[in-house]
């Protein structure tokens, strides 16, 4: 009886929140999959609207999405995945926004499950199981990014790069200026929400094989993910970067100084410079931390 009651309450939350949710789907040359994605999402729940942002596609992506029932907003040229997401957030009419990929890898049944939790959380991320992520190389790269992000945010992050996520629109608008025009919008939003103190949940999901070929390039885009991760943490918690670098420089300088005292009976300039460098880095980190705090408090 208790289980049935909980299930009924969950279904009610899904239905109520779906009615206030705008789905944003960035799409670039996804004509092969976008029609099915829109139809399946439409059948999954009674959404407020489904927005497909046609990011300058050269195929029939926009026409196919419109025929399936989506409201299509077209970019005159390809601006990037992040730019399409930002356009969708700006045009969304709902209090909640669900961002989904256009390649068919996300299961429509999971969409309502993510949105239903926005009564409690500000951001709900569909965290893919390791077995359903793309290739072994991609899984290894994501694991490295997840580990680094978990250290920098001091919270466990099982899937930093999942594009399947639901959030409160007003919270997304707060960080819109931070989102890049290219890939890694998921990375930026996840870190920004967590470092700003918003409630974030990672909901386990399974992902299907995408239709077509991925547009993410492992080398260049992986490096960009790493840079964006450092950029966002520098904005919200710079001391998490500066403190370890300062400690490493100090320990290296102290160890080298101790070694030269034992072996040469004097302290070298190099060891002194390393110790001074560690002090300077720490002071820069402290000042950056204060500036970061003032930015967050001033924004609110």
């Amino acid at each position: 009886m208790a289980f049935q009651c909980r299930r009924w309450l969950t279904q009610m939350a899904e239905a109520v929140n779906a009615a206030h949710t705008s789905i944003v789907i960035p799409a670039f040359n996804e004509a092969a999959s976008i029609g099915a994605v829109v139809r399946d999402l439409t059948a999954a729940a009674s959404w407020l609207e489904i927005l497909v942002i046609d990011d300058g596609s050269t195929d029939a992506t926009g026409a196919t999405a419109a025929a399936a029932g989506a409201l299509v907003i077209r970019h005159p040229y390809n601006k990037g995945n992040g730019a399409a997401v930002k356009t969708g957030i700006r045009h969304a009419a709902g209090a909640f926004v669900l961002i989904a990929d256009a390649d068919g890898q996300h299961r429509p049944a999971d969409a309502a499950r993510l949105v239903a939790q926005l009564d409690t959380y500000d951001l709900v991320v569909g965290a893919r199981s390791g077995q359903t992520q793309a290739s072994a190389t991609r899984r290894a790269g994501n694991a490295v990014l997840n580990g680094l992000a978990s250290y920098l945010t001091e919270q466990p992050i099982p899937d930093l790069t999942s594009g399947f996520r639901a959030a409160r629109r007003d919270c997304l608008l707060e960080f819109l200026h931070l989102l890049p025009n290219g890939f890694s919008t998921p990375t930026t939003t996840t870190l920004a929400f967590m470092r700003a103190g918003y409630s974030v949940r990672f909901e386990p999901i399974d992902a299907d094989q995408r239709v077509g070929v991925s547009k993410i390039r492992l080398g260049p885009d992986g490096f960009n993910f790493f840079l964006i991760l450092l950029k966002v943490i520098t904005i919200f918690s710079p001391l998490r970067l500066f403190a370890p670098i300062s400690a490493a420089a100090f320990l290296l300088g102290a160890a080298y100084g101790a070694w030269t005292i034992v072996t040469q009976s004097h302290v070298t300039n190099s060891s002194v410079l390393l110790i001074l460098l560690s002090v300077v880095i720490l002071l820069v980190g402290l000042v950056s931390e204060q500036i970061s705090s003032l930015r967050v408090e001033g924004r609110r």
Side-chain angles (χ1 to χ4, degrees):
M1 185 65 180
F3 172 77
Q4 291 179 336
C5 183
R6 286 195 301 269
R7 185 173 181 179
W8 180 80
L9 290 174
T10 299
Q11 291 174 341
M12 285 292 295
E14 290 178 355
V16 171
N17 287 1
H20 295 86
T21 298
S22 297
I23 297 182
V24 172
I25 307 175
F28 175 61
N29 290 342
E30 299 285 3
S33 59
I34 190 63
V37 169
V38 172
R39 287 191 294 271
D40 291 345
L41 283 170
T42 301
S46 298
W47 310 103
L48 178 62
E49 58 184 356
I50 298 179
L51 304 177
V52 172
I53 315 303
D54 182 0
D55 191 29
S57 298
T58 57
D59 62 6
T61 294
T64 304
L71 174 62
V72 178
I73 302 172
R74 178 173 172 80
H75 286 170
Y77 56 88
N78 180 245
K79 299 179 182 181
N81 179 270
V85 170
K86 287 190 281 189
T87 296
I89 293 172
R90 292 189 184 104
H91 285 81
F96 306 131
V97 173
L98 174 75
I99 302 171
D101 291 341
D103 54 22
Q105 66 172 308
H106 299 144
R107 299 178 179 179
D110 292 331
R113 185 155 57 93
L114 299 186
V115 170
Q117 301 185 62
L118 290 177
D119 289 336
T120 304
Y121 299 94
D122 302 297
L123 172 67
V124 182
V125 179
R128 299 160 294 182
S129 62
Q131 294 76 15
T132 61
Q133 295 188 40
S135 62
T137 304
R138 183 76 61 80
R139 289 196 296 270
N142 285 341
V144 172
L145 288 175
N146 293 342
L148 181 57
S150 297
Y151 161 73
L152 293 174
T153 59
E154 302 179 79
Q155 298 182 55
I157 298 179
D159 192 355
L160 180 65
T161 61
S162 172
F164 196 32
R165 55 193 50 227
R168 296 177 180 272
R169 181 174 179 269
D170 56 346
C171 296
L172 286 172
L173 290 173
E174 183 177 337
F175 304 113
L176 205 64
H177 65 287
L178 294 179
L179 303 185
N181 284 338
F183 285 105
S184 70
T185 295
T187 300
T188 305
T189 53
T190 300
L191 294 175
F193 270 70
M194 296 183 78
R195 292 309 303 169
Y198 285 116
S199 299
V200 178
R201 172 168 173 78
F202 293 92
E203 180 70 14
I205 64 169
D206 289 327
D208 296 326
Q209 187 69 30
R210 65 156 289 143
V211 176
V213 180
S214 174
K215 299 176 180 66
I216 296 179
R217 299 161 298 171
L218 184 60
D221 288 322
F223 181 69
N224 288 336
F225 287 149
F226 177 75
L227 289 182
I228 288 172
L229 187 152
L230 295 184
K231 170 187 172 183
V232 175
I233 293 300
T234 301
I235 291 173
F236 288 97
S237 187
L239 204 56
R240 293 291 292 175
L241 290 178
F242 285 100
I245 297 173
S246 173
F250 179 83
L251 291 174
L252 183 60
Y256 185 54
W259 182 78
T260 56
I261 289 174
V262 172
T263 59
Q264 303 175 29
S265 300
H266 71 279
V267 177
T268 64
N269 292 336
S270 299
S271 60
V272 173
L273 287 174
L274 281 171
I275 292 174
L276 290 176
L277 177 63
S278 72
V279 174
V280 171
I281 292 174
L282 181 60
L283 292 176
V284 171
L286 290 172
V287 172
S288 300
E289 188 79 13
Q290 294 304 311
I291 294 174
S292 173
S293 298
L294 289 174
R295 285 186 74 256
V296 174
E297 292 171 3
R299 188 181 66 245
R300 295 176 183 177

